[in-house]
Amino acid sequence: MKKKIFLLIMLLFPLVIYAEPGYIFLGKDINESYVVKQGDVVTVYLLTNFGTEDVDGIMESYNAQFFYNPYIFELVKTDNDYIKLQDGWEVTNYKTYSSIINLSVRNTIEQNSNEKFEDDEYSNIIAKLSFRVKDNVVNQNTYIELLKDNTNYIAKTDGETLTFDNTENFFLNYDINSNGIKKQDSNLTSISVENEDGEELTLSPSFNPGIYEYEVYTNSEAINVYARCITNNCVVSGIDNKINLAKNTTTVKITSTSVDGTKQVYKIKVNKYSYDGYPELKGLRVLKYNMIETFDPNVNTYHVVIPSTEDSILIDYESEYDVTIKGNENLKIGENLVVIETKNNEGDTNEYYLIVSKTEKEEDKEVPVVEEPTKEEPKVEEKDNKKLYLAICMIISMCAIACIIILISRDIKASKEEIDRK
């Protein structure tokens, strides 16, 4: 009997040890103000929870792609370099063009970065960058973003070497105000909403730390809301993992609070519909110039870089609904917003955003031109692998339980028969 119980425990063990993979994210200087003025220098940390007590293993290398507005910020050299790394890590690729920074780093010592550069900093830093607010910038709100597309890492865990992709974008928000009062950042760095089946729902507009009201549409009876607030040790409140929905609309309020008491409230209006016709695009691309992100109907914001010679872009889309394009003319040097609106017969609308960065003339040669889009191989998502793994473990465990129950039943029956014979 003991052997059978032991066998059951061993077969169930894989369900217990499975853990979420780590991820790469952004952080600000812990004591840095959310309000900055012209000439201020801000610190951006590239952080990971991989190799901490949350996620075990060794990170061997990573790729990171940043987006920022080069007409607001300029990169600053620290210790004669733009990127500061922990000892034992080295840059294998560093490329900047217009608003994009591509960074690839390799681990040469086979141990994770868990040391601080200075006393009052995070302990899980894998890179550090500094940006200066340009002197001629007008007062405005802006952000620095870590793009999930092209951000990934290779890690060794449990004797296997695996590649993990980031599943969400991360933002750091800034309010440029020459006369503003200093305060710590209580803005969220990411929000995601999923239906009951774990499918991500589309936020409209796409998440930005400086936008505080959103809408989503779903025919689900309940949703899951996830919000992160990483900067200045802020705390998120007001949400549960599962939120049951009212018949028509439900408003979800998320409050984030920084350590100095600064609060920020985000609202999500959840519209529940009974038909299967939310106006999503089936395909989207920019001719000649690749979008940085791979198109996904549930993702609403994309980035593209174009040279100074272009006044508009050629947009190719696939949709079953009416489509209207706004803002795609007389594009200026710097950042432009092109809006692609879809509308169904019931009057529901959905918007996709193209953030178009138009370079200065001297930067034109840095813009990657693509005459024909390359077809990518289908990508297996980590989430799908996890579901398959759990399903297989569940089937094996159920079979084991059934076998053990049958064996125990036989033992009991045999014991009764032996007693009857006596």
Side-chain angles (χ1 to χ4, degrees):
M1 181 71 73
K2 290 182 179 179
K3 288 183 178 179
K4 291 165 186 173
I5 295 173
F6 177 76
L7 175 63
L8 175 61
I9 293 171
M10 290 302 294
L11 288 167
L12 289 172
F13 186 66
L15 292 175
V16 178
I17 63 170
Y18 187 87
E20 289 286 339
Y23 53 88
I24 297 172
F25 57 97
L26 294 181
K28 286 184 179 180
D29 207 12
I30 291 175
N31 297 312
E32 187 172 277
S33 173
Y34 155 67
V35 181
V36 294
K37 64 180 184 296
Q38 293 78 359
D40 282 354
V41 175
V42 299
T43 303
V44 174
Y45 295 98
L46 193 62
L47 306 161
T48 183
N49 69 334
F50 198 89
T52 65
E53 60 184 18
D54 297 323
V55 185
D56 193 19
I58 299 292
M59 183 179 291
E60 297 185 333
S61 65
Y62 66 84
N63 301 300
Q65 188 166 67
F66 303 86
F67 174 86
Y68 73 104
N69 191 330
Y71 302 97
I72 296 178
F73 292 111
E74 59 184 356
L75 271 167
V76 177
K77 283 189 174 182
T78 304
D79 297 333
N80 297 318
D81 210 342
Y82 290 111
I83 310 294
K84 188 172 183 180
L85 302 173
Q86 298 281 10
D87 291 339
W89 292 74
E90 64 180 16
V91 174
T92 56
N93 179 59
Y94 173 69
K95 179 75 172 176
T96 64
Y97 57 93
S98 186
S99 55
I100 302 299
I101 301 173
N102 284 322
L103 174 66
S104 297
V105 175
R106 182 173 70 94
N107 184 354
T108 65
I109 57 176
E110 294 196 1
Q111 67 182 44
N112 290 309
S113 294
N114 52 14
E115 300 294 329
K116 299 181 180 182
F117 284 126
E118 298 173 13
D119 289 339
D120 193 15
E121 288 187 338
Y122 305 93
S123 60
N124 52 342
I125 303 168
I126 53 178
K128 180 178 176 181
L129 299 84
S130 296
F131 295 84
R132 180 181 178 275
V133 182
K134 292 187 173 182
D135 295 326
N136 58 350
V137 174
V138 298
N139 292 346
Q140 60 187 289
N141 187 272
T142 188
Y143 60 88
I144 295 172
E145 181 179 2
L146 179 67
L147 302 173
K148 67 179 181 181
D149 287 73
N150 302 319
T151 295
N152 55 60
Y153 64 90
I154 297 175
K156 184 181 291 184
T157 175
D158 294 330
E160 290 187 84
T161 299
L162 303 171
T163 299
F164 298 96
D165 293 329
N166 263 25
T167 57
E168 57 186 306
N169 297 335
F170 289 94
F171 296 81
L172 297 180
N173 200 39
Y174 302 91
D175 185 23
I176 299 173
N177 191 330
S178 56
N179 299 311
I181 299 173
K182 298 288 184 181
K183 62 179 181 179
Q184 290 194 332
D185 193 356
S186 59
N187 286 290
L188 295 175
T189 49
S190 67
I191 296 177
S192 61
V193 183
E194 296 179 354
N195 64 15
E196 290 178 297
D197 297 326
E199 298 170 339
E200 188 169 357
L201 302 178
T202 302
L203 282 176
S204 181
S206 292
F207 176 73
N208 181 311
I211 298 176
Y212 305 118
E213 294 190 5
Y214 301 89
E215 278 191 276
V216 297
Y217 288 83
T218 182
N219 57 4
S220 183
E221 295 297 324
I223 59 170
N224 297 307
V225 179
Y226 305 95
R228 298 184 193 274
C229 184
I230 295 171
T231 59
N232 295 126
N233 295 323
C234 58
V235 177
V236 179
S237 61
I239 59 171
D240 297 318
N241 281 344
K242 183 177 181 180
I243 300 172
N244 294 316
L245 301 179
K247 184 176 180 180
N248 295 316
T249 61
T250 302
T251 300
V252 178
K253 292 183 180 181
I254 307 168
T255 302
S256 54
T257 308
S258 65
V259 290
D260 68 352
T262 302
K263 293 181 181 290
Q264 184 58 60
V265 177
Y266 291 80
K267 295 180 181 180
I268 304 174
K269 182 181 178 183
V270 185
N271 301 290
K272 188 177 176 184
Y273 62 87
S274 57
Y275 59 89
D276 187 18
Y278 184 62
E280 293 179 335
L281 290 178
K282 288 186 174 180
L284 176 65
R285 67 187 179 107
V286 176
L287 301 183
K288 289 180 65 179
Y289 308 104
N290 262 353
M291 296 187 304
I292 292 172
E293 298 88 356
T294 302
F295 176 72
D296 181 337
N298 294 319
V299 177
N300 286 60
T301 300
Y302 299 89
H303 300 79
V304 64
V305 180
I306 63 171
S308 62
T309 53
E310 301 285 7
D311 293 320
S312 63
I313 55 175
L314 298 175
I315 300 173
D316 183 24
Y317 60 83
E318 183 181 355
S319 176
E320 298 176 356
Y321 307 98
D322 294 333
V323 175
T324 304
I325 298 177
K326 308 171 187 176
N328 188 25
E329 61 274 329
N330 300 319
L331 300 177
K332 67 181 189 300
I333 298 294
E335 188 175 294
N336 302 267
L337 180 63
V338 176
V339 180
I340 304 162
E341 182 185 85
T342 58
K343 186 176 182 179
N344 63 14
N345 293 330
E346 286 80 8
D348 296 316
T349 60
N350 185 20
E351 291 183 340
Y352 292 84
Y353 307 97
L354 279 173
I355 298 175
V356 183
S357 297
K358 184 174 177 179
T359 64
E360 300 276 8
K361 186 175 181 180
E362 58 270 19
E363 293 180 309
D364 286 352
K365 62 182 180 180
E366 301 291 343
V367 178
V369 178
V370 180
E371 297 298 338
E372 291 294 335
T374 56
K375 186 176 181 181
E376 295 186 355
E377 291 297 322
K379 190 176 183 180
V380 179
E381 294 293 335
E382 181 68 24
K383 186 182 289 186
D384 294 337
N385 291 337
K386 183 176 75 174
K387 288 181 179 178
L388 179 61
Y389 175 86
L390 292 175
I392 292 171
C393 289
M394 188 64 70
I395 291 170
I396 293 172
S397 300
M398 291 176 67
C399 292
I401 293 170
C403 291
I404 291 171
I405 291 173
I406 291 170
L407 292 172
I408 292 173
S409 299
R410 288 180 178 176
D411 288 347
I412 294 172
K413 185 177 179 180
S415 298
K416 285 183 177 179
E417 289 177 352
E418 186 176 348
I419 291 171
D420 291 341
R421 284 196 298 269
K422 291 180 179 180

